[in-house]
Amino acid sequence: MNKTPPSSKQTLATPTVSSQIGSSIIHSSLKRLTLDGNISFENIDYATKDFGNRYHFLPLAVLNPKSISDISTTVSLVFGMGSSTDITIAARGHGHSLEGQAQVRGGVIVNMESLRIAEMHFNTGKKAYVDVSGGELWINILHESLKHGLTPKSWTDYLHLTVGGTLSNAGVSGQAFRHGPQINNVYQLDVVTGKGDVVTCSDDQNTDLFYGVLGGLGQFGIITRARIALEPAPTMVKWIRLLYSDFSIFSKDQEFLISSQNSLDYIEGFVIINRTGLVNNWRSSFNPKDPVQASQFKSEGKVLFCLEVAKYFNPENKSNINQNIDAILSELSYIRSTLFESEVSYVQFLDRVHIGEMKLREKGLWEVPHPWLNLLIPKSKIREFAAEVFGNILTDTSNGPILIYPVNKSKWRNGTSTVTPEENVFYLVAFLSSVMPYSTGKDGLEHILNQNNRILNFCKRNELGVKQYLPHYNTQDEWKAHFGKQWEVFKRRKSTYDPLAILAPGHRIFKKAVAFQ
């Protein structure tokens, strides 16, 4: 394993002697495979990179599958070699893992974006759905669904991610309070297991594998097809931001909104620490309800909390929607001068993060290290967490946004591999930091990692019952603690569907056993 600090020249982790021996065996075997796609052994450095931009593992080869059979054949080959080699396999989507989870040293990367099982297949009947490739991007599903007047129900904030990637974690955004995460809104999967078997699974067919794969971090199989639930699509979005200076009031309003029958479609929030010019920063896309009062609001030096909500609508219903929103807002206790509104198209709203990506790419600030920390925090502990972290451990939010919003556990599917806190309501808190290249200051990698560790240590020391989302650990004992009472089921599923621990080694949960040669 090689962690590449931003101030050094990037290097790649090289295989060990034992894996080089295995590589020579599998290299010739892979070349002899008859495939619809192809396998590349050269110019594969791109597979050593991900969005986190901190871990870099050099694979032996990259499989570019054109069919499910290509993936099954390759996995079957490696499985058939048994423990004679330490070659492993990782599925790679759009490369947005944070800490090398979709990389593999000296093994085979499956480039899921090259998989094209067929055109998207839509069922527009009463139980509307779309069948898509596991390597399809959500943004493409959105555009194709809208042609049928339909849309998926639940999203992530960023849509340029693959279906298999988000379903292997959970897929959480501001719609989760109503519809649950994306893993709640899938009817059926096709999966290639660690034995090379192709299995169709659902709520009533191969159920154990279905629930294991959902949120399973790629440990039990590679998702090659997914049947995604759809609903009628709106065309417009009323997008609103409100500010609070008191966290207790802010969180109380958030919890009220996710528990009420107010029919909002999206509820999130974020933290603002020590930022200036806040109102002016929003003027390009949000209009203050009361411009005079808003101009008098001063944000300098304060810790503020922004409630962000949205309501979907079609133009013919705009009058009713505005009345509905006014009624909802009248129940809230935000700072009255800080109501900001915007109307955008449904696509513009859902693809909002991509606009920021384009701006950062222009400045050369997109492909930098991203030491993100995503936490799920029980409702009963969120105020204790906020009091210590916001304004104490963190003294500004200049390194990236901090998202914070509650979700209802009742909306999450029981029995999946995703780990959540015990309580019925818990908060997602996401520290989405970006590192300035070569910096050794507060925007440098070391400083941000130290902050993350201080946050984690505080949670552990005070026994807050926090679980990490998109987790990364270095030892199996840490993973056991993460899964808690779910560990035995998780381990049993691994031994059933990937008994040689071939799949997804980048998570460092299980290690492939290699016989002494």
Side-chain angles (χ1 to χ4, degrees):
M1 181 181 67
N2 177 48
K3 296 183 186 180
T4 306
S7 58
S8 68
K9 191 174 182 179
Q10 291 189 354
T11 57
L12 305 179
T14 55
T16 62
V17 173
S18 62
S19 65
Q20 288 172 346
I21 295 171
S23 297
S24 64
I25 297 171
I26 200 170
H27 187 284
S28 58
S29 300
L30 289 169
K31 290 186 74 172
R32 290 196 299 268
L33 289 177
T34 301
L35 303 169
D36 298 312
N38 62 79
I39 292 182
S40 302
F41 296 92
E42 299 177 353
N43 301 317
I44 57 176
D45 287 1
Y46 72 91
T48 70
K49 302 172 184 176
D50 60 24
F51 184 67
N53 201 17
R54 293 172 51 220
Y55 292 75
H56 304 275
F57 302 93
L58 182 64
L60 168 70
V62 172
L63 169 66
N64 301 295
K66 295 300 179 186
S67 64
I68 295 175
S69 175
D70 285 354
I71 300 173
S72 173
T73 298
T74 304
V75 176
S76 295
L77 171 69
V78 177
F79 180 72
M81 291 182 173
S83 58
S84 64
T85 172
D86 60 0
I87 295 294
T88 52
I89 297 173
R92 184 182 193 272
H94 204 51
H96 274 264
S97 295
L98 294 173
E99 301 187 75
Q101 290 96 331
Q103 298 178 31
V104 58
R105 181 172 61 184
V108 179
I109 292 291
V110 182
N111 175 21
M112 293 301 296
E113 286 194 273
S114 75
L115 177 64
R116 289 291 178 266
I117 56 174
E119 294 293 324
M120 294 184 203
H121 172 70
F122 286 87
N123 182 321
T124 58
K126 187 175 181 180
K127 187 179 179 179
Y129 64 78
V130 58
D131 284 327
V132 298
S133 163
E136 190 61 80
L137 297 180
W138 285 100
I139 184 65
N140 296 335
I141 298 172
L142 172 63
H143 288 305
E144 289 301 312
S145 298
L146 289 176
K147 294 177 183 178
H148 300 268
L150 297 168
T151 177
K153 300 176 182 180
S154 193
W155 298 96
T156 53
D157 288 329
Y158 180 67
L159 303 191
H160 297 251
L161 305 170
T162 60
V163 168
T166 65
L167 294 183
S168 294
N169 290 282
V172 187
S173 185
Q175 302 85 7
F177 81 98
R178 283 191 67 193
H179 298 291
Q182 290 181 319
I183 58 173
N184 267 56
N185 298 281
V186 55
Y187 293 138
Q188 191 181 80
L189 299 172
D190 282 347
V191 175
V192 176
T193 71
K195 302 175 184 178
D197 300 329
V198 181
V199 182
T200 298
C201 54
S202 65
D203 264 326
D204 51 17
Q205 180 183 10
N206 298 305
T207 307
D208 185 62
L209 179 61
F210 182 65
Y211 280 80
V213 167
L214 295 174
L217 307 176
Q219 294 299 307
F220 315 121
I222 297 172
I223 298 172
T224 55
R225 180 188 65 88
R227 179 166 291 177
I228 307 297
L230 302 176
E231 66 178 1
T235 59
M236 297 296 293
V237 174
K238 189 85 169 181
W239 189 5
I240 296 171
R241 287 177 175 175
L242 316 162
L243 291 179
Y244 296 73
S245 58
D246 185 302
F247 181 80
S248 293
I249 298 174
F250 167 73
S251 58
K252 182 180 179 181
D253 277 1
Q254 281 194 318
E255 290 163 17
F256 163 74
L257 289 175
I258 70 164
S259 64
S260 64
Q261 302 299 316
N262 55 57
S263 71
L264 285 172
D265 295 293
Y266 165 97
I267 298 171
E268 285 197 11
F270 53 92
V271 185
I272 306 159
I273 306 175
N274 220 8
R275 302 299 297 273
T276 58
L278 185 64
V279 174
N280 288 331
N281 288 340
W282 285 353
R283 284 197 186 282
S284 60
S285 53
F286 286 85
N287 296 313
K289 185 83 170 181
D290 187 326
V292 175
Q293 285 192 15
S295 66
Q296 296 172 353
F297 176 76
K298 304 299 180 183
S299 60
E300 289 81 353
K302 299 178 182 178
V303 177
L304 298 171
F305 306 95
C306 179
L307 173 61
E308 186 172 49
V309 300
K311 177 64 180 173
Y312 307 156
F313 69 97
N314 293 314
E316 61 269 23
N317 298 323
K318 184 174 179 178
S319 177
N320 290 336
I321 290 298
N322 285 336
Q323 291 178 15
N324 178 243
I325 290 174
D326 288 342
I328 293 170
L329 297 183
S330 69
E331 300 284 335
L332 306 180
S333 301
Y334 59 94
I335 301 170
R336 294 298 162 180
S337 63
T338 64
L339 169 56
F340 298 85
E341 300 176 317
S342 180
E343 277 187 21
V344 294
S345 73
Y346 183 61
V347 172
Q348 282 178 300
F349 175 73
L350 291 180
D351 202 28
R352 60 196 179 280
V353 177
H354 186 58
I355 297 171
E357 174 189 351
M358 294 298 98
K359 293 178 180 178
L360 289 171
R361 284 191 182 278
E362 289 177 3
K363 299 176 182 178
L365 296 176
W366 182 255
E367 295 182 0
V368 298
H370 295 94
W372 286 8
L373 178 64
N374 297 271
L375 303 176
L376 304 178
I377 302 173
K379 169 186 169 181
S380 66
K381 303 294 185 180
I382 191 64
R383 288 164 181 78
E384 181 181 353
F385 177 90
E388 172 64 17
V389 174
F390 304 141
N392 189 358
I393 292 178
L394 297 180
T395 56
D396 64 60
T397 49
S398 59
N399 294 328
I402 301 173
L403 304 184
I404 179 168
Y405 55 93
V407 294
N408 297 311
K409 192 171 185 175
S410 62
K411 302 292 185 179
W412 291 53
R413 224 174 196 144
N414 291 323
T416 71
S417 294
T418 300
V419 177
T420 62
E422 295 291 331
E423 297 182 10
N424 291 328
V425 173
F426 56 88
Y427 279 74
L428 174 80
V429 183
F431 301 88
L432 309 182
S433 301
S434 297
V435 170
M436 287 300 292
Y438 311 111
S439 173
T440 57
K442 290 185 177 181
D443 52 4
L445 180 60
E446 184 176 357
H447 178 80
I448 295 172
L449 289 176
N450 285 338
Q451 280 188 336
N452 289 350
N453 286 331
R454 287 181 65 192
I455 294 169
L456 290 171
N457 289 336
F458 168 75
C459 294
K460 184 177 181 179
R461 186 171 62 249
N462 290 274
E463 300 180 346
L464 299 189
V466 170
K467 294 294 183 180
Q468 285 197 48
Y469 178 63
L470 308 178
H472 176 80
Y473 299 105
N474 292 316
T475 68
Q476 193 173 86
D477 284 342
E478 290 174 306
W479 280 108
K480 287 180 182 179
H482 170 76
F483 283 104
K485 62 184 181 182
Q486 293 176 231
W487 171 250
E488 291 303 321
V489 173
F490 194 84
K491 187 172 67 170
R492 191 263 304 162
R493 283 171 171 164
K494 185 68 170 179
S495 65
T496 302
Y497 303 112
D498 184 21
L500 295 182
I502 290 170
L503 301 177
H507 285 282
R508 302 166 68 89
I509 306 175
F510 302 96
K511 183 174 176 61
K512 184 177 181 183
V514 181
F516 179 74
Q517 300 297 308

